[in-house]
Amino acid sequence: PMLVDTQLSQPTPLFYKVSGENDEQMWLFGTIHVGDARTENLPQDIYDALQSADALALEFDASQFEQQLMEDEGLMQQLLSTYYYADGSTITQHLTDMSVYAMGRQMMKFAGQYNAMRPSMWSSTIEGFYLDLGYSLSSENGVDNQLLKLAQEQEKTVLNVESGIEQMKMMSGFSDGLQEQMLIATINTTPTQYNAQVEELYEMWCAGDEEAFIEYFKTDDTELTGQELVYAQEYTKAMETDRNAKMLKTAIGYLNSGDTVFYAVGLAHLMAEDGLVNTLRAAGYTVELVTF
């Protein structure tokens, strides 16, 4: 077993019990896709809830998706179509600023990944590369991976809230302008800055302060004008509004199923203004914060 550093305190992440008037019940857990040794040392209440649940629902089980890709040629073709342009055009024809292309290409070469994919794919590749350069956190230790391991050991049903293809289609479906903006933001961020932001969010996740997250996920477009505002709204609609609405439908489906589901999705999907905590309450369910 890994030696857990006793200096690392136990995290107290946000965890909720959801119940309905007809004894429906669900657990709601906010995840973050990175972690360190602390994600293996959660409060016992969380492990007990997972143990007693009928199923674990994760935003998206990457290992299962990789398995499906190996077995399903059609799915693989769908995936590739999100990486490249159907009309055979290349990234340079979809960017307005060639210095962005030059900088992006350089970063992609550092990442050992250079090819002429869409700008949105460049952004996520470069961010993944930045994360690998940081030494303290890894996606391997992400809490969703830890929960998945436990669920598999307990031979639990694992449900996917979203499909891998859906997530990729969303990213590749952004307008050219928004994809360029995202790539500019990525290449204007140093690996050190990027990792500092991720670490700050992770420490917040460990602390599990509800108020801090409600504040953190508030959408503030007041400073933006014109085209910037249009891109921000496009991004928010795809990344948050549409997904959160679907996640609410999914949650209500789980509550009505008669099973107790341990529903674990990214914290933003819980704590945003249109996130699950608010929308489930608005739908008439009781959502109680579990305190440790």
Side-chain angles (χ1 to χ4, degrees), residues 26 36 54 107 123 125 137 189 206 212 225 230:
M26 183 176 78
D36 56 18
D54 298 298
M107 296 311 302
S123 296
T125 303
L137 300 177
T189 306
C206 287
T225 54
V230 174

Side-chain angles (χ1 to χ4, degrees), residues 159-176:
L159 306 166
N160 279 288
V161 176
E162 296 180 324
S163 76
I165 288 288
E166 265 178 354
Q167 288 195 347
M168 301 302 278
K169 278 187 172 162
M170 176 190 68
M171 295 276 295
S172 67
F174 289 143
S175 66
D176 282 358

Side-chain angles (χ1 to χ4, degrees), residues 111-131:
Q113 291 273 358
Y114 176 69
N115 60 25
M117 300 184 294
R118 297 171 195 262
S120 57
M121 297 304 161
W122 281 26
S123 296
S124 49
T125 303
I126 293 166
E127 285 174 5
F129 171 60
Y130 284 175
L131 199 58

Side-chain angles (χ1 to χ4, degrees), residues 81-232:
S81 74
T82 66
Y83 280 83
Y84 302 101
Y85 296 102
D87 60 7
S89 60
T90 66
I91 187 167
T92 47
Q93 290 157 274
H94 294 265
L95 292 171
T96 57
D97 182 346
M98 282 308 109
S99 68
V100 174
Y101 169 71
M103 282 285 294
R105 188 178 67 171
Q106 200 174 4
M107 296 311 302
M108 288 291 281
K109 285 186 170 167
F110 281 136
Q113 291 273 358
Y114 176 69
N115 60 25
M117 300 184 294
R118 297 171 195 262
S120 57
M121 297 304 161
W122 281 26
S123 296
S124 49
T125 303
I126 293 166
E127 285 174 5
F129 171 60
Y130 284 175
L131 199 58
D132 290 341
L133 293 176
Y135 58 92
S136 62
L137 300 177
S138 73
S139 49
E140 206 41 49
N141 284 328
V143 72
D144 31 12
N145 282 334
Q146 301 297 343
L147 294 172
L148 180 60
K149 262 192 281 193
L150 289 170
Q152 286 168 341
E153 281 165 25
Q154 296 165 18
E155 299 189 350
K156 259 190 217 319
T157 306
V158 177
L159 306 166
N160 279 288
V161 176
E162 296 180 324
S163 76
I165 288 288
E166 265 178 354
Q167 288 195 347
M168 301 302 278
K169 278 187 172 162
M170 176 190 68
M171 295 276 295
S172 67
F174 289 143
S175 66
D176 282 358
L178 174 56
Q179 291 196 37
E180 185 160 2
Q181 288 296 309
M182 288 164 69
L183 184 55
I184 290 169
T186 303
I187 59 183
N188 285 338
T189 306
T190 66
T192 310
Q193 288 167 333
Y194 182 77
N195 284 306
Q197 288 164 8
V198 174
E199 280 161 29
E200 180 194 9
L201 187 61
Y202 179 66
E203 292 305 328
M204 278 176 74
W205 179 85
C206 287
D209 175 348
E210 224 182 2
E211 286 305 307
F213 274 115
I214 290 168
E215 202 47 50
Y216 185 85
F217 289 119
K218 275 200 174 126
T219 313
D220 182 17
D221 290 341
T222 45
E223 300 291 293
L224 303 179
T225 54
Q227 195 54 54
E228 278 184 347
L229 182 62
V230 174
Y231 291 143

Side-chain angles (χ1 to χ4, degrees), residues 13-16 18 25-31 42-59 143-144 146-148 150-151 154 156-161 205 254-255 257 259-265 290 292:
L14 291 177
F15 184 54
Y16 296 87
V18 183
Q25 188 178 314
M26 183 176 78
W27 299 103
L28 189 56
F29 184 61
T31 62
L42 301 177
Q44 191 57 41
D45 291 10
I46 293 175
Y47 295 125
D48 292 346
L50 179 62
Q51 179 86 50
S52 65
D54 298 298
L56 168 66
L58 286 176
E59 199 167 310
V143 72
D144 31 12
Q146 301 297 343
L147 294 172
L148 180 60
L150 289 170
Q154 296 165 18
K156 259 190 217 319
T157 306
V158 177
L159 306 166
N160 279 288
V161 176
W205 179 85
Y254 293 155
L255 282 155
S257 70
D259 281 342
T260 298
V261 176
F262 189 109
Y263 190 13
V265 287
V290 176
F292 307 113

